[in-house]
Every structure is written in C-alpha cells, then in structure tokens.
C-alpha cells in the first residue's frame, strides 16, 4: 500500500461515483513538452542554488512523506494571489507544482511545507479526476460531488500536516491563506477561528460549500 494511502479520508472515495482513476490516465508527450516549455519561459524552476528556502522546504517534505521527489517545482511571479497548484494532473508524465511569489512571501518555510504536502497529496490521490460540480445541474448529485471534493481537501490537509511536522504551523498556514495576511496583522487565536467555523454549522451549510 502506498504510504500516503493510510492518511486518505475515508469519505474521499471516488468509487462511490463510478470513477475509474486508472482508465482516465494518459500520457501525451507533445502536450507535456509544450506545457513544460511554457513553464520554463514564464516561471523559474526551483533549484536550491536559486531558491534555498523553498528548495529546503521541498526536501524536508519528501523526506517526511518517505517519497522520491519526481515533481517539477516552479515559482511564478504573482503579487496578488497566494496560491499553489499541481498542474496537468494526471496527463503529464511528470507532475508540476507551481507556487506563486505571493505565497512564498506570505508563509514561513515550515508553513510552506504544509502547502507543498497538500499539493503532493492532490497528485497522488488523483483528485483532478473527480467530477466538477459546476457541470452538474441535478441538486442532490451536485451536493454529493461537493461533499466528495471537500473530502479530497481533508485528505490533502492530512498529508500537508504530516509534511509540515507541526499542527501549529499547518494551522498558521491555513489562517494566513484564508485571510491573505501575514503575521504582521494576525494574532494566531485558533480557538477563535474555530468558533467561526462552528457558526457555519449553527446557521446551516450553503449549497456551494460543505464542511
């Protein structure tokens, strides 16, 4: 069994929707090369000689997850969105994780490890194959798919926590991403933030988000 499989959330189960992950896997060499060429021209590949902090964070993540690093990591200039994404899942022969400059500026090295682990999990669990709720009109099916997508995020967060090695750093990263603010403007009162999430339960779930 894959080491990461033990951390997968029990409700993160695409088979309930008849999704065969293996049947959707494909390799398109020309598309892969074109995408890589685009990344190389628009972003900078992460090498420790250029990005020592980011490169160090990546090494620690794969050591904690007991995985070989077969990913391409890139930093792209974006001063507005703090974001990371695993690109071309699962068609590319080698997955790419793209990290924005804003995210690197916002997070510490330890907090960044949570995000890297989260994105690695999305690739290994092949979450990109899950249905898009926006393409479904039937209400109950749409809510079920939203629930599946939320379960996928729980699985990825679990791996992110293992990758960071710190619950506090994982929560700090989550709060920074939710607010878009650095520690200059934040006091990390996690219990207060959890009270906000409990309020969601008390007033009822929206159709666009399930917890």
């Amino acid at each position: 069994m894959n080491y990461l499989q033990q951390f997968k959330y029990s409700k993160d189960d695409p088979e309930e929707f008849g999704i065969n992950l293996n049947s959707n896997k494909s390799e398109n060499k020309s598309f892969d090369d074109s995408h890589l060429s685009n990344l190389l021209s628009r972003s900078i590949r992460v090498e420790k000689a250029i990005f020592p902090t980011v490169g160090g964070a990546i090494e620690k993540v794969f050591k904690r997850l007991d995985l070989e690093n077969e990913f391409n990591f890139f930093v792209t200039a974006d001063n507005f969105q703090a974001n990371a994404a695993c690109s071309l899942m699962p068609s590319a022969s080698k997955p790419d994780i793209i990290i924005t400059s804003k995210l690197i500026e916002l997070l510490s090295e330890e907090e960044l490890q949570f995000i890297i682990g989260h994105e690695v999990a999305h690739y290994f669990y092949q979450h990109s194959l899950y249905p898009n709720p926006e393409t479904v009109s039937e209400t109950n099916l749409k809510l079920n798919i939203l629930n599946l997508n939320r379960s996928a995020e729980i699985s990825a967060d679990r791996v992110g926590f293992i990758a960071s090695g710190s619950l506090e750093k994982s929560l700090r990263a989550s709060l920074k991403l939710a607010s878009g603010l650095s520690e200059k403007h934040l006091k990390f009162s996690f219990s207060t933030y959890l009270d906000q999430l409990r309020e969601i339960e008390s007033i009822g779930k929206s159709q666009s988000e399930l917890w």
Side-chain angles (χ1 to χ4, degrees), residues 8 40-41 48 94 125 133 144 207:
K8 192 175 185 181
L40 289 170
S41 63
K48 286 192 73 175
K94 191 171 184 179
Y125 296 145
N144 284 337
Q207 292 191 354

Side-chain angles (χ1 to χ4, degrees), residues 39-58:
L39 282 174
L40 289 170
S41 63
R42 295 174 177 267
S43 307
I44 302 179
R45 182 154 48 194
V46 175
E47 303 287 352
K48 286 192 73 175
I50 303 176
F51 302 105
T53 300
V54 179
I58 292 169

Side-chain angles (χ1 to χ4, degrees), residues 54-89:
V54 179
I58 292 169
E59 287 183 354
K60 291 172 184 174
V61 164
F62 283 93
K63 183 176 181 180
R64 288 196 182 104
L65 297 181
D66 193 26
L67 293 173
E68 183 179 351
N69 181 6
E70 297 180 345
F71 290 70
N72 288 316
F73 284 85
F74 290 90
V75 173
T76 189
D78 190 332
N79 295 322
F80 300 99
Q81 289 191 328
N83 192 29
C86 193
S87 178
L88 278 188
M89 299 183 299

Side-chain angles (χ1 to χ4, degrees), residues 25 32 43 45 55 88 98 110 118 120 146 185 189 192 196:
K25 293 180 180 179
D32 193 7
S43 307
R45 182 154 48 194
L88 278 188
I98 304 163
E110 294 81 6
H118 181 103
V120 167
L146 282 167
H185 302 285
S189 176
T192 303
Q196 176 179 322

Side-chain angles (χ1 to χ4, degrees), residues 47-208:
E47 303 287 352
K48 286 192 73 175
I50 303 176
F51 302 105
T53 300
V54 179
I58 292 169
E59 287 183 354
K60 291 172 184 174
V61 164
F62 283 93
K63 183 176 181 180
R64 288 196 182 104
L65 297 181
D66 193 26
L67 293 173
E68 183 179 351
N69 181 6
E70 297 180 345
F71 290 70
N72 288 316
F73 284 85
F74 290 90
V75 173
T76 189
D78 190 332
N79 295 322
F80 300 99
Q81 289 191 328
N83 192 29
C86 193
S87 178
L88 278 188
M89 299 183 299
S91 61
S93 58
K94 191 171 184 179
D96 306 307
I97 292 181
I98 304 163
I99 306 170
T100 66
S101 54
K102 177 69 173 179
L103 183 70
I104 295 172
E105 292 286 351
L106 186 66
L107 303 181
S108 70
E109 179 181 350
E110 294 81 6
E111 294 160 356
L112 184 60
Q113 290 166 20
F114 168 77
I115 302 301
I116 293 169
H118 181 103
E119 295 303 325
V120 167
H122 278 318
Y123 176 78
F124 276 97
Y125 296 145
Q126 294 295 267
H127 287 149
S128 68
L129 297 178
Y130 289 8
N132 182 350
E134 298 305 318
T135 64
V136 177
S137 57
E138 201 275 313
T139 302
N140 287 335
L141 179 58
K142 185 171 185 175
L143 289 175
N144 284 337
I145 294 174
L146 282 167
N147 192 40
L148 178 64
N149 288 345
R150 183 54 191 162
S151 297
E153 292 302 317
I154 292 174
S155 294
D157 281 347
R158 285 179 170 185
V159 176
F161 164 62
I162 301 299
S164 74
S166 168
L167 177 59
E168 179 185 355
K169 299 299 183 183
S170 299
L171 291 172
R172 285 171 64 99
S174 298
L175 191 53
K176 283 184 176 182
L177 285 176
S179 66
L181 297 173
S182 69
E183 56 270 3
K184 177 181 177 180
H185 302 285
L186 287 173
K187 182 176 181 181
F188 294 99
S189 176
F190 302 123
S191 61
T192 303
Y193 182 52
L194 289 173
D195 286 342
Q196 176 179 322
L197 301 184
R198 294 186 186 100
E199 186 177 352
I200 297 174
E201 290 292 334
S202 68
I203 63 177
K205 305 178 183 69
S206 73
Q207 292 191 354
S208 62

